[in-house]
Amino acid sequence: AQSVAQPEDQVNVAEGNPLTVKCTYSVSGNPYLFWYVQYPNRGLQFLLKYITGDNLVKGSYGFEAEFNKSQTSFHLKKPSALVSDSALYFCAVRDEDTGGFKTIFGAGTRLFVKA
Amino acid sequence: KAGVTQTPRYLIKTRGQQVTLSCSPISGHRSVSWYQQTPGQGLQFLFEYFSETQRNKGNFPGRFSGRQFSNSRSEMNVSTLELGDSALYLCASSPSVIGEQYFGPGTRLTVT
């Protein structure tokens, strides 16, 4: 069965510093991996995805993520954090089981960027 | 293109009642998924539809059901509401089976 783990409930980083939000996954087939962000009082927004190809994928708002097959990880990164990046981040994996495709979300990591 | 829309945005119901939530996907998207979001359980997959067929279902009781119409609009129904059904219900549409999902603002259901 597929699963997604976000080991940190919260990540604190100072503005201008690099940030990393961790995600590990388990799937039975090829991993289709996603990051979403949820700002306060706003809906979930798609950030980036890995389907196939380059292990480093770039997404919206300067975010990128590195797919590591051997470590089954898909960590979200940004070289220089902004206060406006403060939000709830979800890693998700899309996999096919006996019932068909479904998307499983991690528990979420709250990012606080301090000015 | 217009985004995913969900109606109503807020609902207050009492235990034992039933409720129907509606979702209109982005034009051209045939895949629609539903999720329940609560502070304790996070985002839980409810079901997914593609071209009017339920493709997968999460681990929810039979009180939770849904359907998709020929225009890709989707509804979900919860019968015999329980207090624990209070949650934000999110609908998402996708342009393909393995593509990213675009979420609506959600329907906040409160069961009293």
Side-chain angles (χ1 to χ4, degrees):
Chain A
Q2 69 253 84
S3 64
V4 179
Q6 293 181 244
E8 302 152 317
D9 291 336
Q10 185 171 307
V11 169
N12 298 308
V13 65
E15 189 174 33
N17 283 359
L19 70 87
T20 299
V21 183
K22 296 179 180 177
C23 171
T24 59
Y25 66 90
S26 173
V27 297
S28 53
N30 291 321
Y32 304 120
L33 300 160
F34 305 85
W35 277 99
Y36 293 87
V37 59
Q38 190 172 37
Y39 297 102
N41 300 316
R42 289 168 64 179
L44 271 158
Q45 296 178 32
F46 165 71
L47 267 183
L48 51 78
K49 65 182 177 184
Y50 172 83
I51 303 296
T52 186
D54 289 341
N55 290 342
L56 185 66
V57 294
K58 295 185 184 298
S60 308
Y61 312 120
F63 283 93
E64 57 189 30
E66 186 167 10
F67 169 65
N68 188 316
K69 188 173 182 179
S70 62
Q71 296 185 4
T72 60
S73 66
F74 189 56
H75 300 332
L76 180 70
K77 300 181 180 184
K78 188 173 182 182
S80 179
L82 299 172
V83 172
S84 57
D85 292 331
S86 299
L88 184 57
Y89 290 81
F90 292 95
C91 180
V93 61
R94 187 156 176 81
D95 190 24
E96 188 173 18
D97 62 17
T98 53
F101 276 98
K102 65 179 178 182
T103 301
I104 300 299
F105 284 80
T109 298
R110 193 164 295 279
L111 173 67
F112 286 101
V113 182
K114 185 189 285 189
Chain B
K1 282 185 180 178
V4 177
T5 58
Q6 292 186 246
T7 56
R9 293 292 310 279
Y10 302 92
L11 264 179
I12 300 176
K13 292 283 188 180
T14 57
R15 278 182 300 174
Q17 287 186 313
Q18 76 164 16
V19 66
T20 299
L21 313 181
S22 182
C23 171
S24 292
I26 292 172
S27 178
H29 289 190
R30 291 193 291 163
S31 175
V32 173
S33 300
W34 288 90
Y35 298 88
Q36 182 195 66
Q37 186 177 22
T38 59
Q41 298 295 317
L43 274 158
Q44 301 285 311
F45 170 75
L46 278 159
F47 21 67
E48 177 169 320
Y49 290 88
F50 186 85
S51 295
E52 302 179 68
T53 302
Q54 186 178 91
R55 301 297 289 261
N56 211 336
K57 191 179 191 314
N59 295 325
F60 279 82
R63 301 185 295 108
F64 291 80
S65 63
R67 57 179 175 168
Q68 187 181 31
F69 302 96
S70 59
N71 61 359
S72 293
R73 192 176 69 84
S74 178
E75 288 181 348
M76 67 163 281
N77 183 277
V78 188
S79 62
T80 320
L81 284 166
E82 300 177 359
L83 295 178
D85 297 333
S86 294
L88 181 66
Y89 290 88
L90 293 167
C91 169
S93 73
S94 179
S96 69
V97 174
I98 61 171
E100 66 276 14
Q101 294 179 303
Y102 295 88
F103 285 81
T107 295
R108 185 162 296 282
L109 172 64
T110 302
V111 182
T112 62

